[in-house]
Amino acid sequence: EPEVTQTPSHQVTQMGQEVILRCVPISNHLYFYWYRQILGQKVEFLVSFYNNEISEKSEIFDDQFSVERPDGSNFTLKIRSTKLEDSAMYFCASRTSGKSGELFFGEGSRLTVL
Amino acid sequence: SQQGEEDPQALSIQEGENATMNCSYKTSINNLQWYRQNSGRGLVHLILIRSNEREKHSGRLRVTLDTSKKSSSLLITASRAADTASYFCATALNTGTASKLTFGTGTRLQVTL
């Protein structure tokens, strides 16, 4: 069964360092998303991506964040200069088509900023 | 204010009992979805109900939607220990090309033997 894969599963970094989280969405999907979940809290929307551009972003997704789809398969989230409060689980998700519908989530990348 | 708020925040039941979780939202929606999350894992889609539907079933799951009250409920019948997880409602709005899902606060379900 096709699945969304994310790497790394866990990354520990020092405050101020750059981090890149990688995702391989399901191959025929067209809409891509990043969400994050701070431990014990709700799942928060960061950004959506369609047709090689950002469709929507939240207030959390400030200038420190960027997304890229460098080739036909990978979808990356970059945090330029990490802060302590960026510590969270980051989930990539994708969807096949249509304005709304089921999202397929990866298992997440846990980011710990020291 | 939250787009999706769920209650209860936590629910503990015995195996074989039914579990009911409720979700309220604030704006007009295209559809409402329920997801399950095992501890430390990704979210798994359970069921989607469109705004013009009132009830939907999938296996042991029953979802209702009341758009006049802006609320939904998820019923899990004959619960099993393996149903222990957090359950989230998520709403899809009518706007935007790549319409995001907005997740609720979640209900932590514990099913004991």
Side-chain angles (χ1 to χ4, degrees), chain A residues 35 37 42 99 103 107, chain B residues 2 35 37 41 99 101:
Chain A
Y35 285 81
Q37 184 179 35
K42 66 187 294 187
K99 284 189 70 171
L103 282 183
E107 288 294 324
Chain B
Q2 305 278 5
Y35 286 78
Q37 184 183 37
R41 305 292 299 274
S99 182
L101 286 183

Side-chain angles (χ1 to χ4, degrees), chain A residues 12-82:
Chain A
V12 181
T13 190
Q14 295 291 325
M15 194 168 56
Q17 294 297 303
E18 176 182 286
V19 159
I20 296 176
L21 305 178
R22 290 184 168 80
C23 170
V24 179
I26 295 173
S27 61
N28 64 339
H29 285 190
L30 301 176
Y31 299 82
F32 312 109
Y33 304 80
W34 283 100
Y35 285 81
R36 81 169 186 193
Q37 184 179 35
I38 295 170
L39 185 64
Q41 298 187 24
K42 66 187 294 187
V43 178
E44 300 175 292
F45 169 76
L46 292 179
V47 65
S48 59
F49 193 87
Y50 169 70
N51 202 24
N52 285 318
E53 61 182 21
I54 290 174
S55 296
E56 188 177 355
K57 57 185 180 180
S58 71
E59 291 176 356
I60 303 168
F61 195 89
D62 61 21
D63 291 345
Q64 294 299 315
F65 290 87
S66 63
V67 288
E68 232 183 11
R69 189 158 159 81
D71 52 42
S73 58
N74 291 285
F75 180 50
T76 62
L77 174 69
K78 182 192 290 187
I79 309 174
R80 247 178 290 279
S81 177
T82 51

Side-chain angles (χ1 to χ4, degrees), chain A residues 31 33 35 37 40-45 48-50 55-56 58 89 91 95 98-108 110, chain B residues 2-4 30-31 33 35 37 40-45 48 50 88 92-105:
Chain A
Y31 299 82
Y33 304 80
Y35 285 81
Q37 184 179 35
Q41 298 187 24
K42 66 187 294 187
V43 178
E44 300 175 292
F45 169 76
S48 59
F49 193 87
Y50 169 70
S55 296
E56 188 177 355
S58 71
M89 187 76 117
F91 292 104
R95 197 175 77 213
K99 284 189 70 171
S100 59
E102 173 186 356
L103 282 183
F104 291 80
F105 281 84
E107 288 294 324
R110 179 170 298 284
Chain B
Q2 305 278 5
Q3 166 64 353
N30 180 287
N31 65 67
Q33 303 176 34
Y35 286 78
Q37 184 183 37
R41 305 292 299 274
L43 292 97
V44 176
H45 179 264
L48 180 154
R50 302 193 189 285
F88 294 88
L93 306 186
N94 280 313
T95 58
T97 304
S99 182
K100 69 184 182 195
L101 286 183
T102 301
F103 284 83
T105 50

Side-chain angles (χ1 to χ4, degrees), chain B residues 23-35:
Chain B
C23 168
S24 60
Y25 58 93
K26 296 189 184 303
T27 62
S28 175
I29 61 171
N30 180 287
N31 65 67
L32 186 143
Q33 303 176 34
W34 286 88
Y35 286 78

